[in-house]
């Protein structure tokens, strides 16, 4: 497996996995040609005896399974802060705020399963969103997040800022996180717009099988929308390069294609 995304803030904050650390200051400009440029200064924390990233994620996986009873993202009635697992074909993109300029600062992972999958009465979309700082591989930059999505863009980064500051609880009402509020309908509309845009832009043949664990931001399952949409913030995302078992094919028939990591 290849790690695509890992949030150390959640590892340390939500799971209590902080090792013995030393601090190093780093000031640099990093370009991931030709797509994403990150610059500035940051204090990095590393273990005195660093653990390999895959071993760290494996330890996190065991903790989540033991302490937090994660459920499949296809489960009904998900609540904010609930841990979910995912394993499906997903598109990947990096975006920036609608009226802003590059570099892209939000990483998105978007997928969909058809009605009838795991008992779903209608199509189900999944959108994972987090900071590009947690990306471990190159992801295509796709420009503006879209008209009317500024609130959602800022929400994603506010969740990240809270994690960095040690606040790891997501309120039931997402308006409580932002200095300016939005109606529930407009929040849901923005989420569906971004998911639909990425979903249309990246056809199934361009996607790869991704899996991992995430924390739910919202589960939009209102009859006013054509399909259901789960929005979550990921702990880690890994690309899977192994065949899918026959039972898995019956559950998620679209994961049979060859994995491709942009």
């Amino acid at each position: 497996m290849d790690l695509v995304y890992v949030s150390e803030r959640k590892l340390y904050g939500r799971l209590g996995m902080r090792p013995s650390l030393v601090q190093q200051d780093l000031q640099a400009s990093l370009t991931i040609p030709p797509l994403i440029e990150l610059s500035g200064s940051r204090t990095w924390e590393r273990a005195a005896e660093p653990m390999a990233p895959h071993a760290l994620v494996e330890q996190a996986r065991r903790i989540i399974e033991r302490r937090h009873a994660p459920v499949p993202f296809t489960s009904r009635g998900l609540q904010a802060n609930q841990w979910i697992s995912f394993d499906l074909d997903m598109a990947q993109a990096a975006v920036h705020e609608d009226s802003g300029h590059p570099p892209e600062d939000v990483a998105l992972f978007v997928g969909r399963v058809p009605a009838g999958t795991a008992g779903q009465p209608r199509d189900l979309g999944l959108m994972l969103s987090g900071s590009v700082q947690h990306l471990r591989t190159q992801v295509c930059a796709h420009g503006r997040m879209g008209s009317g999505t500024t609130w959602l863009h800022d929400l994603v980064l506010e969740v990240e800022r809270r994690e960095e500051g040690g606040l790891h609880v997501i309120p039931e009402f997402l308006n409580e996180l932002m200095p300016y509020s939005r109606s529930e309908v407009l929040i849901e509309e923005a989420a569906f717009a971004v998911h639909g845009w990425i979903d249309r832009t990246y056809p199934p043949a361009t996607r790869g099988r991704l899996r991992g664990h995430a924390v739910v931001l919202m589960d939009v399952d209102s009859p006013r929308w054509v399909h259901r949409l789960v929005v979550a913030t990921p702990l880690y995302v890994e690309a899977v390069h192994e065949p899918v078992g026959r039972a898995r094919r019956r559950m998620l028939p679209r994961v049979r294609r060859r994995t491709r990591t942009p």
Side-chain angles (χ1 to χ4, degrees):
M1 267 72 71
D2 295 330
L3 287 176
V4 178
Y5 179 104
V6 180
S7 174
E8 295 181 3
R9 296 167 186 169
K10 290 186 180 64
L11 288 174
Y12 300 152
R14 284 184 174 268
L15 300 182
M17 290 178 58
R18 185 178 298 274
S20 299
L21 299 174
V22 294
Q23 289 188 335
Q24 290 185 329
D25 291 326
L26 174 67
Q27 188 168 15
S29 178
L30 170 65
T31 301
I32 308 175
L35 302 175
I36 302 172
E37 180 175 325
L38 307 173
S39 62
S41 60
R42 179 179 177 185
T43 297
W44 294 85
E45 294 184 333
R46 64 175 179 83
E49 297 181 359
M51 181 181 293
H54 286 83
L56 194 65
V57 167
E58 185 57 36
Q59 181 180 340
R61 194 192 335 263
R62 291 194 297 268
I63 292 174
I64 294 170
E65 295 289 345
R66 185 173 66 251
R67 298 180 185 173
H68 300 287
V71 298
F73 76 96
T74 53
S75 302
R76 303 296 299 275
L78 299 173
Q79 302 296 318
N81 292 295
Q82 189 169 1
W83 282 96
I84 56 172
S85 59
F86 58 91
D87 185 344
L88 73 163
D89 285 355
M90 302 190 82
Q92 308 172 41
V95 296
H96 62 78
E97 191 267 330
D98 181 59
S99 60
H101 303 280
E104 281 64 29
D105 52 4
V106 168
L108 297 174
F109 301 91
V110 166
R112 180 194 291 263
V113 296
T117 301
Q120 298 295 315
R122 54 185 181 155
D123 286 2
L124 166 62
L126 174 66
M127 182 165 70
L128 309 176
S129 56
S131 169
V132 297
Q133 292 186 29
H134 305 320
L135 288 172
R136 297 300 179 96
T137 188
Q138 185 171 312
V139 172
C140 290
H142 210 90
R144 298 183 302 110
M145 194 167 181
S147 178
T149 63
T150 297
W151 191 95
L152 182 63
H153 169 274
D154 292 350
L155 171 70
V156 173
L157 296 186
E158 178 60 23
V159 170
E160 294 293 333
R161 283 191 288 267
R162 286 168 61 91
E163 296 274 2
E164 187 173 17
L167 298 175
H168 308 290
V169 177
I170 298 167
E172 179 182 357
F173 300 103
L174 295 179
N175 270 318
E176 297 178 20
L177 296 179
M178 305 295 290
Y180 53 99
S181 62
R182 264 199 137 185
S183 72
E184 181 180 354
V185 173
L186 289 177
I187 292 172
E188 295 174 354
E189 186 178 74
F192 273 96
V194 175
H195 179 275
W197 164 52
I198 300 295
D199 193 44
R200 291 188 300 271
T201 301
Y202 294 92
T206 68
R207 304 182 185 189
R209 180 182 166 200
L210 302 178
R211 71 183 181 190
H213 285 94
V215 178
V216 174
L217 291 176
M218 54 181 166
D219 180 358
V220 186
D221 198 12
S222 170
R224 63 173 167 256
W225 304 111
V226 174
H227 64 86
R228 179 185 170 203
L229 177 63
V230 173
V231 182
T233 175
L235 170 67
Y236 68 92
V237 179
E238 58 184 8
V240 183
H241 303 283
E242 60 188 31
V244 184
R246 185 175 302 172
R248 186 64 184 163
R249 287 193 183 99
R250 289 197 298 268
M251 179 179 178
L252 293 178
R254 290 178 59 188
V255 299
R256 295 174 295 184
R257 292 178 294 277
R258 177 178 62 86
T259 297
R260 174 184 171 188
T261 302

